[in-house]
Amino acid sequence: MSGNDAATLSVSKRYKKQSALGEIWHRLKRNKGAVMGLVIFFIFVIIALYSSFFVDYNTQVTAIDPSNAYKPPSSEHFFGTDNMGRDLFYRVLYGTRYSLVIGLFSVGFALVVGIILGSIAGFYGGRTEDIIMRASDILASIPGLLLGMCIVTVLGTNLFNLVFAVGVHSIPEFIRVTRGSVLLVRNQEFVESATAIGYGSLKTLFTQVVPNGLSPIIVTYTCRIGSAIIEAASLSFLGFGVPVPTPEWGALISDGRNYLRMAPFLTYFPGIFIMIAVLAFNILGDGLRDALDPKLKR
Amino acid sequence: MPENLYENLFEVKNLIKYFKTGKGIVHAVDGVSFTIKPGKTLGIVGESGCGKSTTGRCIIRLIEPTSGEIIYKGRDICKISKAEMTKARKEIQIIFQDPYSSLNPRKTVSQIISEPLLHNRIIDRGDKDKLESRILELMETVGLAERLFNSYPHELDGGRRQRIGIARAISMQPDFIVCDEPVSALDVSIQAQILNLLKRLQTELGLTFIFITHNLSVVNYFADDIAVMYLGQVVEKAPAEELFDNPLHPYTKALLSAILVPETGKKRNRVMLHGEPSSPIDPPAGCRFSKRCNFHVSALCVPRDPPLVEISQNHYVACHCIERQ
Amino acid sequence: MAEETTIDRVDDSEEFLLEVKNLTVHYVLETERVEAVNDISFSLKKGRTIGLVGETGAGKTTAALSILNLVPGPLGVIESGEIVLSGNNVLKLSPKQLEKIRGKDVSMIFQDPMTSLNPVMTVGDQIAESVKLHEKVNNAAAYRRAMEMLELVGIPGMRASEYPHQFSGGMKQRVVIAIALACNPKLLIADEPTTALDVTIQAQVLDMIGQLKEKFGTAIVMITHDLGVVAEICDEVAVMYAGKIVESGTLDDVFNHTTHPYTEGLFYSIPKINNKKASLVPIPGLMPDPTKLPKGCAFAPRCAYAFEECSADKLSLRKINQTHSVLCRAYDNPDFHLNLKEGHNNA
């Protein structure tokens, strides 16, 4: 019984058990759709990380060879070639990294800003909340595409600005979701208990409240990536995306649009990739929702 | 011990807490005064909405009181500096009612108990061994098995969770603990375990308690003095035995007679109250209990609030008609 | 095997209104089986009140739900047993017949009055609806009956046109009781009807239930964890622990001639109102996990009187007298008795 001798120094290790993350993984595993989404996501990550090893950017992705233009898909060019004779397969593969970076980082940026503002609004309430929420409402009322176009026009077209432009549009949603879940947690007694042991309000907010309201935020993050990819593709399609000849998927569709009649495959393949990516993130998000909150399913 | 220097550990004078709502001002606590001597237990009894929990939270400033003085060890803790308040926080603690929502579900038992130690630098974050042995010592004190060290609260039953809450509260060696209905969510057999634990801790650690509850048999078992609250005000205050033997306020009488005793053949004549408590929103002047009072609803009761008067040694009652009874 | 616990068999001429025989209800989950109710039997005569007492997880609510065949499926499975309600086996009735019985012959009130009322219907309409469902009356007559019922539970009939949120907690529970009694059922199942209420309101509501019981001759199954409520209103008591009835008998049997160690432990755990000095003797330990019940007596691990054979194999109900039975092996020894110190009940 006694716990004061040297033998107890490893008590925390002796009673090690499955962590909370392990439990979530265990539940996620049972959802086939989510696992498929996760697998596709990892495939995309691998493609994004390693495409530069087996595809050479200068000779295979951007090199122009007019004599080779408009070749339909074949064993030589899996997805055919575009108007400048570039292999579409390589371009789509290489483009994965752009779409992924835009998706993950733009929404990640929105997530960080959204959590900070949303949790402050939900926790402190009153005037602070009013100001943050009204500002967020105004931001949300501007059409996303228009907002993105304005930002890119002002800041110039490059990858970083595109990430920023797409991200800004997602901020209001994260503010709303974070505020909602903070409101749910805020009135529980363990929050009061933190004050009673001397925690300041910011420490309480970020060590006690926010970690308990994280589940819906993570789900929103995952689901939102899909729409961010579409939004970035739309901006690129309209010419506000990454500069040519960067093979971003939206830009590829935009390029192919002019040759829709003679070479429809130029738009099909990047389109299919966008679809798969968006679908993967959405079903992964749904699966995470169930895994993080097992009560919802019953 | 320094606290022996003070005759009263706590002295609460005319504590008021109003909440503004859309419908008007809720008079949650309306002029409550009492004192607590070191090492004693004050029981606060009342039905839901009488302001007993709000009073408990105001005393340790989890809720800022609207006005009133809360004198702890000779100083008004509403007026002391932030640094001094941080120090005082260590000495005054609280045990919550709901063992399900009062523990952070994402932390393990050991993390929950270690938080106050680390935050207040009682134990250095780097000193893992000392921290671990202190946690184990606390767990043993409250009767938690060592193997629960890394368990999460949701894996445990209500009684064990309440023990975690108690371990956390006593971890900083406080002088004073507010127990806000610590056993009302528990089953009878577990309730008795927790009550005995609290009683043992009181003697071993020399704690002073405020024990807030709606359960009169529990408060009788636990408290030295009892204050009965009704709609934000103390209506009667007396040593526990005196209150049970000789209740004077009509509400206290009704409350005591409403207790269901698990004994047969004891159909006492019950003082049945008609109606239910009126709203605490903008209450009219006068005795708040007069609308339900069985005794003397006279012109005397209505125009002004009855003062809390000492009828006999340490027995205070707030009723206009008390002499006439 | 447990024999049938027949309570109060003195007057054999009277028929039992409700007989529960060897009822076993389990919840079958993906990986485990929650043994909520295990082989319990009790019976109830017209106009009598039985208290099912026990702590959280003792299986008292599941037992009560079975009486109306309302155990939540598909997880909850009534494994075996018979429930005879005025001559019909409830478990064999068709859903149509069951619907007829519910509300008309048996009604139920729950702990939380907030969730049992429809927030968008006036209370008068809610009572009238339950009347119309079971009796051939027109709207006006049903509404008149609703107002009468409200008066009966101590609410002015004029308030029939108000909505539930306009009533306080105690008032809502009165409305729920009015709905339950609107069709004058023979049996009322009350699941912790006063637990959510304040002491003074609880006294009012119990007092009212007592009066209505006299007036209509309704039999009541009162589910509660509070021995005080039992003493107040019940004629008979069945103490449940881990899905079994461990002791049953008349109020006097169980309260003044306690035989089961668990019942004794419950009494010792309650602070005495008239004896401040009496120390609390808690029951050590916790209730066993209902998915892993021990083979023998489920209370043995916490029992001060337990000996080796207690955890051995199945035990059977032992009769102390006509009305009083106990599920405890210790009574195999004729000299065994509980050591009820100073007598928990020497009033």
Side-chain angles (χ1 to χ4, degrees):
Chain A
M1 272 306 275
S2 164
N4 299 339
D5 43 68
T8 57
L9 291 183
S10 58
V11 168
S12 66
K13 292 194 185 90
R14 237 192 286 155
Y15 300 108
K16 258 232 143 51
K17 46 171 49 182
Q18 195 177 30
S19 67
L21 269 179
E23 251 173 68
I24 293 167
W25 169 236
H26 182 74
R27 281 198 293 266
L28 190 69
K29 264 195 312 199
R30 288 192 298 194
N31 184 332
K32 287 201 188 85
V35 173
M36 209 164 77
L38 203 63
V39 168
I40 295 173
F41 171 64
F42 276 120
I43 292 175
F44 276 133
V45 169
I46 291 168
I47 293 175
L49 287 177
Y50 294 106
S51 53
S52 45
F53 287 121
F54 49 89
V55 183
D56 185 65
Y57 186 71
N58 287 323
T59 60
Q60 291 174 297
V61 180
T62 54
I64 298 170
D65 177 10
S67 63
N68 222 358
Y70 308 123
K71 289 269 169 64
S74 65
S75 56
E76 199 181 337
H77 304 285
F78 296 132
F79 293 174
T81 58
D82 67 2
N83 58 326
M84 304 211 204
R86 294 173 294 204
D87 185 313
L88 190 64
F89 178 64
Y90 292 143
R91 284 181 70 79
V92 169
L93 278 196
Y94 211 86
T96 309
R97 63 173 58 185
Y98 296 105
S99 292
L100 221 53
V101 163
I102 292 165
L104 291 175
F105 285 85
S106 67
V107 187
F109 160 71
L111 173 96
V112 173
V113 178
I115 285 185
I116 294 173
L117 292 177
S119 55
I120 287 174
F123 194 66
Y124 292 99
R127 175 69 55 87
T128 325
E129 182 182 19
D130 285 344
I131 293 172
I132 294 177
M133 294 318 290
R134 291 304 82 75
S136 148
D137 286 345
I138 292 169
L139 190 57
S141 67
I142 306 171
L145 224 45
L146 191 65
L147 186 70
M149 281 155 64
C150 293
I151 293 173
V152 172
T153 312
V154 173
L155 299 178
T157 52
N158 64 37
L159 188 64
F160 182 82
N161 291 341
L162 185 62
V163 166
F164 178 70
V166 173
V168 167
H169 180 56
S170 298
I171 292 175
E173 184 164 350
F174 282 101
I175 293 182
R176 247 201 327 268
V177 172
T178 313
R179 174 178 163 271
S181 65
V182 164
L183 281 181
L184 275 183
V185 180
R186 183 181 70 171
N187 289 326
Q188 299 211 29
E189 281 180 341
F190 69 82
V191 178
E192 249 184 318
S193 166
T195 317
I197 62 167
Y199 276 30
S201 62
L202 271 181
K203 186 167 178 184
T204 309
L205 175 57
F206 287 106
T207 63
Q208 311 284 325
V209 181
V210 172
N212 280 291
L214 224 45
S215 312
I217 301 171
I218 294 172
V219 173
T220 312
Y221 177 72
T222 322
C223 292
R224 192 74 203 181
I225 290 175
S227 17
I229 291 176
I230 293 180
E231 217 164 288
S234 316
L235 280 174
S236 298
F237 180 83
L238 295 173
F240 290 89
V242 287
V244 285
T246 318
E248 203 272 338
W249 291 342
L252 291 182
I253 298 181
S254 170
D255 290 346
R257 174 186 53 159
N258 300 328
Y259 317 102
L260 210 51
R261 273 182 193 212
M262 54 201 276
F265 51 88
L266 287 183
T267 49
Y268 289 169
F269 288 108
I272 288 171
F273 266 67
I274 291 178
M275 230 177 71
I276 293 176
V278 172
L279 198 66
F281 280 113
N282 283 348
I283 55 179
L284 179 61
D286 277 346
L288 271 178
R289 188 196 318 268
D290 296 338
L292 289 171
D293 194 357
K295 274 166 270 162
L296 258 180
K297 253 201 147 169
R298 278 165 213 167
Chain B
M1 292 291 265
E3 62 259 36
N4 289 341
L5 293 173
Y6 307 95
E7 196 204 337
N8 294 319
L9 187 68
F10 256 100
E11 207 172 330
V12 176
K13 286 184 195 158
N14 205 17
L15 181 73
I16 290 177
K17 178 66 195 177
Y18 294 160
F19 293 103
K20 276 200 192 100
T21 66
K23 288 179 192 158
I25 293 169
V26 176
H27 293 223
V29 180
D30 212 349
V32 165
S33 308
F34 53 78
T35 56
I36 310 166
K37 293 198 167 46
K40 298 285 180 194
T41 300
L42 172 73
I44 301 183
V45 210
E47 298 181 274
S48 47
C50 73
K52 53 189 193 304
S53 283
T54 312
T55 307
R57 281 166 164 74
C58 280
I59 296 172
I60 63 171
R61 280 184 73 194
L62 277 184
I63 298 177
E64 289 299 323
T66 309
S67 71
E69 287 173 54
I70 301 164
I71 297 160
Y72 170 66
K73 289 190 179 174
R75 285 182 308 170
D76 189 339
I77 59 166
C78 291
K79 297 206 180 83
I80 58 178
S81 72
K82 220 177 163 188
E84 283 176 304
M85 187 60 213
T86 316
K87 245 174 92 189
R89 280 238 181 276
K90 284 185 243 172
E91 297 171 17
I92 49 180
Q93 279 301 309
I94 181 165
I95 296 168
F96 294 94
Q97 166 177 10
D98 182 358
Y100 294 90
S101 80
S102 60
L103 304 176
N104 189 335
R106 301 225 171 236
K107 307 244 161 155
T108 63
V109 173
S110 56
Q111 283 171 335
I112 292 170
I113 301 176
S114 70
E115 271 175 348
L117 298 170
L118 294 174
H119 177 79
N120 293 299
R121 308 244 161 76
I122 294 168
I123 291 175
D124 197 51
R125 197 169 282 275
D127 199 347
K128 288 254 157 56
D129 297 352
K130 196 174 165 198
L131 181 66
E132 203 170 274
S133 64
R134 175 70 177 139
I135 294 172
L136 286 170
E137 189 188 328
L138 284 164
M139 285 174 70
E140 202 191 328
T141 311
V142 299
L144 284 168
E146 197 182 279
R147 68 188 155 79
L148 303 176
F149 197 83
N150 282 335
S151 302
Y152 286 93
H154 67 85
E155 300 166 337
L156 309 177
D157 64 289
R160 289 219 187 95
R161 284 158 163 259
Q162 203 54 291
R163 286 173 199 268
I164 300 171
I166 295 171
R168 183 174 155 111
I170 62 169
S171 65
M172 290 175 284
Q173 296 169 317
D175 297 326
F176 174 78
I177 297 182
V178 172
C179 306
D180 185 9
E181 305 248 19
V183 295
S184 27
L186 307 175
D187 272 321
V188 231
S189 67
I190 307 299
Q191 171 178 315
Q193 292 176 4
I194 299 294
L195 284 176
N196 281 354
L197 169 67
L198 286 173
K199 229 174 179 174
R200 176 167 62 82
L201 291 177
Q202 179 163 35
T203 3
E204 283 176 9
L205 308 176
L207 294 167
T208 308
F209 281 142
I210 277 195
F211 200 94
I212 298 166
T213 183
H214 68 276
N215 187 329
L216 286 148
S217 359
V218 167
V219 83
N220 181 39
Y221 174 71
F222 214 84
D224 301 298
D225 293 297
I226 296 176
V228 180
M229 283 187 74
Y230 189 80
L231 282 181
Q233 294 175 330
V234 173
V235 294
E236 184 160 5
K237 193 173 67 185
E241 275 169 51
E242 165 77 5
L243 189 93
F244 274 79
D245 294 343
N246 184 24
L248 291 175
H249 196 280
Y251 177 65
T252 315
K253 286 180 182 170
L255 209 55
L256 288 178
S257 80
I259 302 175
L260 301 173
V261 185
E263 287 169 15
T264 56
K266 270 227 156 180
K267 304 267 178 214
R268 295 154 306 159
N269 13 342
R270 182 155 286 157
V271 183
M272 202 58 81
L273 287 181
H274 42 83
E276 309 202 357
S278 47
S279 158
I281 298 172
D282 300 318
C287 173
R288 296 199 180 161
F289 184 63
S290 57
K291 275 189 195 134
R292 295 176 78 194
C293 188
N294 289 329
F295 293 87
H296 312 266
V297 183
S298 61
L300 209 63
C301 298
V302 182
R304 59 192 177 87
D305 281 6
L308 197 62
V309 207
E310 189 164 7
I311 296 288
S312 56
Q313 177 86 36
N314 284 329
H315 194 155
Y316 298 81
V317 185
C319 177
H320 287 305
C321 312
I322 200 69
E323 278 105 27
R324 291 222 244 139
Q325 279 184 46
Chain C
M1 271 321 296
E3 51 192 295
E4 188 190 317
T5 334
T6 46
I7 298 156
D8 206 355
R9 264 267 159 114
V10 193
D11 182 11
D12 261 354
S13 60
E14 225 178 316
E15 279 283 295
F16 284 114
L17 174 69
L18 171 72
E19 276 184 281
V20 175
K21 294 179 193 161
N22 305 102
L23 178 71
T24 300
V25 187
H26 291 175
Y27 292 95
V28 185
L29 307 181
E30 247 174 79
T31 50
E32 51 199 8
R33 173 178 278 262
V34 179
E35 302 179 5
V37 173
N38 301 304
D39 195 15
I40 66 163
S41 306
F42 64 90
S43 48
L44 188 63
K45 274 186 193 156
K46 196 169 168 296
R48 302 277 281 175
T49 302
I50 187 171
L52 280 186
V53 198
E55 297 180 279
T56 317
K60 42 194 200 310
T61 299
T62 305
L65 288 173
S66 316
I67 298 175
L68 284 172
N69 202 355
L70 274 177
V71 179
L75 298 179
V77 183
I78 298 181
E79 298 278 341
S80 64
E82 227 179 292
I83 292 167
V84 183
L85 185 72
S86 10
N88 299 315
N89 187 347
V90 174
L91 303 181
K92 295 233 166 71
L93 294 180
S94 69
K96 258 256 158 67
Q97 289 168 307
L98 268 174
E99 257 168 50
K100 254 191 185 152
I101 284 186
R102 291 181 195 146
K104 174 91 184 110
D105 290 339
V106 191
S107 34
M108 185 148 187
I109 45 184
F110 296 93
Q111 173 175 353
D112 188 1
M114 321 303 162
T115 50
S116 14
L117 292 173
N118 182 346
V120 295
M121 241 172 121
T122 66
V123 298
D125 285 340
Q126 292 186 50
I127 304 174
E129 189 183 61
S130 115
V131 174
K132 277 186 288 183
L133 212 59
H134 297 288
E135 284 169 37
K136 288 203 175 70
V137 289
N138 62 17
N139 288 349
Y143 201 79
R144 256 202 315 280
R145 169 78 79 74
M147 288 171 68
E148 284 166 26
M149 287 310 299
L150 282 180
E151 294 277 356
L152 210 59
V153 295
I155 299 174
M158 315 174 28
R159 297 195 68 184
S161 58
E162 292 182 17
Y163 289 90
H165 71 261
Q166 289 165 291
F167 291 81
S168 66
M171 291 290 209
K172 275 191 207 139
Q173 196 59 292
R174 284 164 188 269
V175 173
V176 172
I177 293 170
I179 295 176
L181 295 181
C183 293
N184 198 0
K186 297 184 200 117
L187 177 66
L188 177 68
I189 300 169
D191 188 358
E192 307 259 11
T194 58
T195 306
L197 306 177
D198 275 322
V199 232
T200 56
I201 312 296
Q202 164 169 299
Q204 291 173 1
V205 170
L206 281 181
D207 187 61
M208 185 199 79
I209 293 179
Q211 284 172 18
L212 293 178
K213 180 177 101 173
E214 301 273 293
K215 193 164 176 180
F216 294 110
T218 317
I220 303 178
V221 176
M222 175 70 79
I223 297 160
T224 181
H225 68 274
D226 188 341
L227 289 166
V229 171
V230 176
E232 185 69 23
I233 204 161
C234 297
D235 308 308
E236 289 148 27
V237 190
V239 182
M240 287 191 75
Y241 185 79
K244 284 197 153 81
I245 292 181
V246 292
E247 178 166 8
S248 65
T250 62
L251 192 63
D252 181 59
D253 286 337
V254 176
F255 276 56
N256 300 331
H257 308 281
T258 309
T259 47
H260 198 280
Y262 175 64
T263 320
E264 185 196 33
L266 279 185
F267 279 114
Y268 278 141
S269 301
I270 307 170
K272 305 291 165 300
I273 204 75
N274 37 23
N275 186 1
K276 192 177 160 73
K277 298 288 172 298
S279 63
L280 290 186
V281 187
I283 308 174
L286 304 165
M287 196 177 292
D289 184 342
T291 60
K292 302 182 198 81
L293 288 185
K295 227 171 54 183
C297 172
F299 187 61
R302 303 174 74 184
C303 180
Y305 306 97
F307 48 99
E308 233 171 83
E309 284 90 67
C310 280
S311 41
D313 53 320
K314 277 190 96 173
L315 10 74
S316 51
L317 221 49
R318 166 180 296 273
K319 280 213 159 185
I320 304 288
N321 62 29
Q322 279 277 40
T323 54
H324 194 179
S325 26
V326 64
L327 191 73
C328 181
R329 168 146 298 147
Y331 289 91
D332 288 351
N333 172 3
D335 295 331
F336 178 79
H337 60 92
L338 299 178
N339 57 2
L340 293 159
K341 292 171 237 161
E342 53 202 280
H344 65 85
N345 236 340
N346 52 357

